[in-house]
Amino acid sequence: SAPQYHENVLSLLYPGNQTSEKSLFETIQQVEVLLQLHDRHQRGRILVRLDAGFGNDQNINWLLHRGYQVLSKHKSSRRASLIASQVDEWHPLNDQKWVAEVPKPLCHRYYRRTQTVVLCWYNSKSNVFKHALLVCSLLDRDLFEISHLYDERARIETEIKADKGGLLLPKRRKKQFEAQEALILLTDLAHNILAWKIGRAHV
């Protein structure tokens, strides 16, 4: 089946030693300019899903302060493991993955009210159980809905991999930073043209 492309892709290029968590503020501010998100009411209708690379307390708080809805995997696996050790009741998501509510006294307090769930899954390669925390500002969702909503990020990741493979992004390297940045922007343009053409084909 044809890949499902989202329109209006925006890419920013950073030095190779820059971590994800330090790039969030600028990226979101660029998106606000692109989408003209001028007030908290507009931003409150947007859910920002973050993987653990972006999900530290500072970033989560910053997004909540600006009015966004947030669903983030927390950066600290150590915090997740400590909380998981105090959970009494786990609920199965599948044969090798479980979810539980985090007791309120153990939840980190953020700028706005949130709920936190803890995930547990079996890693067959390393033969250990691993844990992660999901922090969510959507208070009307239960722990199963929160887990499912986070897992929907996989579709976006599939599109990114399709771009990297189909547009040969990993094989295209330029020595100058500015040249590499221009190449990234051309890749965005190619992605958006494909999205436009596929969208018109399905009308």
Side-chain angles (χ1 to χ4, degrees), residues 4-178:
Q4 300 297 310
Y5 284 92
H6 292 296
E7 296 185 15
N8 297 325
V9 167
L10 171 69
S11 295
L12 298 175
L13 186 66
Y14 293 97
N17 60 353
Q18 174 138 337
T19 61
S20 298
E21 59 186 321
K22 293 183 178 179
S23 64
L24 178 74
F25 296 172
E26 182 182 359
T27 303
I28 293 295
Q29 288 166 347
Q30 291 281 354
V31 170
E32 289 177 356
V33 172
L34 178 68
L35 301 181
Q36 300 182 14
L37 303 175
H38 302 303
D39 58 58
R40 291 178 62 86
H41 176 72
Q42 291 173 303
R43 296 193 289 267
R45 299 172 64 185
I46 295 175
L47 174 66
V48 180
R49 284 184 287 197
L50 305 174
D51 66 16
F54 293 92
N56 61 24
D57 291 331
Q58 182 183 13
N59 285 349
I60 294 171
N61 251 339
W62 184 82
L63 289 166
L64 292 171
H65 187 269
R66 293 190 68 76
Y68 291 103
Q69 302 295 342
V70 174
L71 175 53
S72 175
K73 181 180 286 186
H74 197 274
K75 186 177 182 66
S76 176
S77 58
R78 182 175 181 273
R79 184 188 295 182
S81 295
L82 287 173
I83 289 176
S85 67
Q86 301 181 60
V87 169
D88 295 323
E89 184 178 6
W90 292 93
H91 305 278
L93 293 171
N94 55 46
D95 292 340
Q96 294 190 326
K97 191 173 184 180
W98 301 265
V99 63
E101 293 184 69
V102 174
K104 292 191 182 300
L106 300 179
C107 290
H108 185 84
R109 296 187 65 178
Y110 293 100
Y111 177 79
R112 293 204 329 261
R113 187 181 168 196
T114 60
Q115 56 177 327
T116 306
V117 302
V118 57
L119 300 174
C120 174
W121 68 95
Y122 178 69
N123 187 309
S124 57
K125 290 184 178 179
S126 55
N127 195 31
V128 296
F129 287 94
K130 293 194 172 184
H131 305 94
L133 298 175
L134 297 181
V135 180
C136 183
S137 64
L138 300 175
L139 302 178
D140 60 337
R141 306 297 178 96
D142 62 32
L143 69 171
F144 298 102
E145 291 173 316
I146 290 172
S147 176
H148 177 72
L149 188 58
Y150 182 80
D151 287 344
E152 287 184 346
R153 289 180 60 259
R155 292 186 301 169
I156 301 173
E157 293 177 355
T158 299
E159 288 187 13
I160 294 172
K161 291 179 181 178
D163 272 357
K164 292 177 68 176
L167 300 175
L168 303 179
L169 190 58
K171 297 182 179 180
R172 297 179 179 180
R173 290 289 180 264
K174 302 295 181 183
K175 293 183 179 180
Q176 297 297 321
F177 185 87
E178 293 79 4

